[in-house]
Every structure is written in structure tokens, then in C-alpha cells.
């Protein structure tokens, strides 16, 4: 629900007028490539500093544990500006260290409840130390080519989604659901479920 801080915001609003569907979701004219052939890919774009993303988190976690076997879920930390990019860098550095799944919720809690600023190196180093993370190794990973490449790809995909803010969920690279249009986490996840069913029905061959 937080708006992106970019010069292209007005252009994206104009682009939204060309979408084929109504306010609950929009259908992209140019789908985003997915990484999961034969599966229904569900991608959340989020920012650790977004309170609406934090409110969605428990609903999303519950949904993930109940997702059918033909659904693949991915998180993408939206690097919409320099502040958001710092959070993206932390996400991907921890992922590269095999710690993202373990520390995702504690990190979200720290940002939202303890006002941890991920673009403040000293604050982040102190927090990482308390989580028993090797800070020196983290800093090396944070500045690695692999992490930088993932941030660039995340930025490209977020731009392709034409989302106006976060949290945004994209179903099968085609359907874009924004909480700004739905107002509640429950409505957002209900819409995601409906779109998953739509994609599944489209992928299922008709019976003769």
C-alpha cells in the first residue's frame, strides 16, 4: 500500500488504465517470465519497512503451508529506491548464506517493532551479531556480484509488474494483486486463491 518513490510513478498510473481487468486485480499485457515450468508461480513483492506487508505476513505464511503441490511461492524484496534496495540486499545476502528462511520473521519483527534500519550499517551489524551471524561473512556476501545480480533482476521484475506499491502478489507472471485495491490481507489472499484456480483451469486440458 506504500507508494513507490520513483519518477515513473505517474507513468505507471497511466499504464494501469490499459489493464484488462477490474480493481481486485489486473492482467498484464506482457506477462513476467516465471522460473517454474509446469507450476503455478505466486510471487510476493514486499519491503521489510512496509507495515502493510507485515500485516499480510501471517496470512501469507498460513497460505504457503496450505498451498497445493502445483503452486510455487517466491518472495521478491522490491528494490524500488535506495532505502528499499538496502532491504533487498539484506534479504539476498542472508539467502546466499542459507539464513533467509530462518531470519525472515525475526528480521521483519526487528524492523517493524524495534525500528531497525537496514540502511544503517551499525544497527544491522549489531542485530546480525545478536542472531549469531558472522558479520564479516555477511558483509562480503552483501557486496557480492551474485547479490547485486539478484537485486537488478528483482528491480526488472518489479518494474514489469507495473505495481504501484507493496505488498503486491503476482500470480503466474500474469495477474497482479495489490493490497491498495483490496484493503485487507484476507481479501488479498482470497483473490490470490481465485486466480490460482483460474490459472489451473486454463492449464488443465478439457475432457472430451
Amino acid at each position: 500500500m506504500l507508494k513507490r518513490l520513483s519518477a515513473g510513478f505517474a507513468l505507471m498510473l497511466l499504464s494501469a488504465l490499459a489493464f484488462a481487468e477490474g480493481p481486485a486485480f489486473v492482467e498484464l499485457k506482457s506477462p513476467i517470465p516465471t522460473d517454474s515450468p509446469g507450476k503455478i508461480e505466486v510471487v510476493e513483492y514486499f519491503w521489510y519497512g512496509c507495515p502493510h506487508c507485515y500485516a499480510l505476513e501471517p496470512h501469507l505464511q498460513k497460505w504457503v503451508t496450505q498451498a497445493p503441490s502445483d503452486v510455487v511461492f517466491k518472495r521478491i524484496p522490491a528494490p524500488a529506491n535506495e532505502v528499499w534496495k538496502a532491504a533487498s540486499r539484506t534479504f539476498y545476502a542472508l539467502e546466499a548464506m542459507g539464513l533467509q528462511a530462518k531470519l525472515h520473521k525475526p528480521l521483519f519483527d526487528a524492523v517493524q517493532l524495534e525500528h531497525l534500519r537496514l540502511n544503517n550499517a551499525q544497527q544491522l551489524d549489531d542485530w546480525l551479531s545478536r542472531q549469531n551471524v558472522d558479520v564479516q561473512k555477511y558483509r562480503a556476501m552483501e557486496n557480492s556480484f551474485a547479490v547485486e545480480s539478484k537485486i537488478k533482476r528483482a528491480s526488472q521484475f518489479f518494474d514489469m509488474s507495473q505495481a504501484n506499491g507493496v505488498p503486491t502478489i503476482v500470480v503466474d507472471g500474469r495477474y497482479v494483486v495489490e493490497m491498495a485495491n483490496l484493503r485487507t490481507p484476507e481479501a488479498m489472499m482470497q483473490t490470490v486463491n481465485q486466480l490460482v484456480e483460474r490459472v489451473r483451469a486454463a492449464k488443465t486440458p478439457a475432457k472430451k
Side-chain angles (χ1 to χ4, degrees), residues 22-207:
F25 64 92
V26 294
E27 183 175 359
L28 294 172
K29 289 188 173 182
S30 299
I32 302 169
T34 64
D35 296 325
S36 309
K39 300 286 187 176
I40 303 172
E41 191 173 272
V42 175
V43 176
E44 181 208 17
Y45 294 92
F46 80 103
W47 173 45
Y48 281 115
C50 169
H52 307 290
C53 299
Y54 190 64
L56 176 65
E57 185 65 18
H59 301 271
L60 190 58
Q61 287 283 11
K62 181 179 179 180
W63 182 88
V64 170
T65 63
Q66 300 173 349
S69 59
D70 62 344
V71 172
V72 174
F73 174 71
K74 293 170 52 180
R75 298 184 194 276
I76 294 183
N81 54 61
E82 290 305 312
V83 174
W84 292 25
K85 188 178 290 186
S88 300
R89 197 172 298 281
T90 299
F91 178 95
Y92 285 124
L94 291 175
E95 181 182 70
M97 296 173 70
L99 297 173
Q100 198 283 320
K102 175 183 177 182
L103 295 180
H104 176 71
K105 180 61 164 58
L107 182 58
F108 227 152
D109 289 341
V111 172
Q112 291 293 319
L113 305 180
E114 302 169 18
H115 309 295
L116 170 65
R117 294 172 56 195
L118 298 180
N119 60 342
N120 184 307
Q122 187 60 60
Q123 286 188 18
L124 180 55
D125 286 355
D126 290 345
W127 184 84
L128 290 169
S129 294
R130 293 197 299 272
Q131 312 309 311
N132 297 314
V133 175
D134 185 328
V135 174
Q136 187 174 358
K137 182 178 179 181
Y138 168 85
R139 288 298 170 191
M141 193 63 69
E142 180 188 55
N143 296 308
S144 68
F145 175 79
V147 167
E148 190 62 37
S149 297
K150 288 192 173 185
I151 292 173
K152 289 181 179 178
R153 191 166 189 256
S155 180
Q156 291 171 351
F157 280 14
F158 189 52
D159 286 344
M160 290 174 70
S161 78
Q162 300 189 39
N164 295 315
V166 291
T168 291
I169 294 177
V170 179
V171 178
D172 207 45
R174 184 180 304 272
Y175 300 108
V176 181
V177 185
E178 298 187 70
M179 193 187 290
N181 297 330
L182 294 166
R183 302 300 177 187
T184 69
E186 292 85 357
M188 190 172 197
M189 297 315 303
Q190 182 178 10
T191 301
V192 169
N193 283 332
Q194 292 169 352
L195 292 171
V196 167
E197 290 296 331
R198 172 184 288 206
V199 172
R200 183 181 292 117
K203 290 178 180 289
T204 304
K207 294 182 180 180

Side-chain angles (χ1 to χ4, degrees), residues 1-12:
M1 201 174 291
L2 293 176
K3 298 300 182 184
R4 296 185 63 188
L5 305 176
S6 68
F9 175 62
L11 178 61
M12 287 193 296

